Amino acid sequence: MSKKALLFAALFVLVVFRGPALAASASSATFAHAWNNYSEKEKRSFLFGLATAARAICTDLTSLQKNLKPQEMENSFRGCFNNYAGMEPDRVIAAMNALYADSKNAMIPIDGAYRIALMQVRGDKVDDIIVQSRKYGEGLKKQLEQQHKADQ
């Protein structure tokens, strides 16, 4: 996926979920701010949307594997779905809340924070991923600031 597509996706998430991107300056608009301003219902809706998307994608990917037997198809689907969808929304939301409580993580995109939280809930080590995600988020922040300056 190109950098422009990723930037567009990040901005879309901010706008759809009452993100501050349009109302505030680029320096104060963060993914953490957007996440922390969601109600509990909005946070659950976000997770439900991701699970729905994972289900649709995994169904398509599984159905493309024509040579699989029915049990293999089911196992393939479950493996795909379980890799991308959180089964315990309260724990995933709590992990995302904790991740965004650290100001260093403010610019980690919400989908990345979700993935990190999901891994944490499963007991995976995520320290290196958080460091990489922070770097990526800071790069996004610089791009947004440059775009904001160019638009003025």
Side-chain angles (χ1 to χ4, degrees):
M1 193 179 277
S2 71
K3 288 183 182 180
K4 285 186 180 181
L6 288 172
L7 182 60
F8 175 74
L11 289 173
F12 178 77
V13 168
L14 283 174
V15 170
V16 170
F17 287 100
R18 295 187 344 217
L22 299 176
S25 71
S27 63
S28 67
T30 68
F31 295 103
H33 179 77
W35 176 259
N36 290 328
N37 282 317
Y38 294 168
S39 68
E40 287 303 309
K41 184 177 180 179
E42 289 169 319
K43 290 176 181 180
R44 284 184 162 279
S45 294
F46 174 78
L47 296 183
F48 180 78
L50 285 174
T52 301
R55 182 175 177 264
I57 291 169
C58 293
T59 298
D60 288 348
L61 290 175
T62 302
S63 66
L64 292 174
Q65 300 174 10
K66 304 283 185 204
N67 58 340
L68 296 180
K69 296 176 183 173
Q71 186 60 46
E72 292 172 326
M73 286 185 84
E74 183 177 337
N75 291 342
S76 178
F77 172 81
R78 285 179 192 240
C80 176
F81 183 80
N82 290 338
N83 198 35
Y84 294 102
M87 304 311 269
E88 301 177 68
D90 292 335
R91 290 184 63 200
V92 174
I93 289 170
M96 288 182 72
N97 290 342
L99 184 71
Y100 280 135
D102 184 343
S103 63
K104 294 177 195 169
N105 300 330
M107 284 304 293
I108 295 176
I110 294 175
D111 61 321
Y114 166 76
R115 188 75 173 132
I116 291 167
L118 194 58
M119 292 172 71
Q120 283 178 322
V121 167
R122 291 183 178 144
D124 297 335
K125 295 189 186 257
V126 294
D127 294 339
D128 291 340
I129 296 169
I130 291 173
V131 170
Q132 291 170 351
S133 297
R134 286 175 180 166
K135 289 177 185 176
Y136 176 77
E138 287 305 312
L140 278 178
K141 183 177 179 179
K142 288 177 185 173
Q143 284 181 325
L144 288 170
E145 288 171 347
Q146 289 171 353
Q147 186 177 7
H148 183 72
K149 286 178 186 176
D151 290 344
Q152 289 183 347

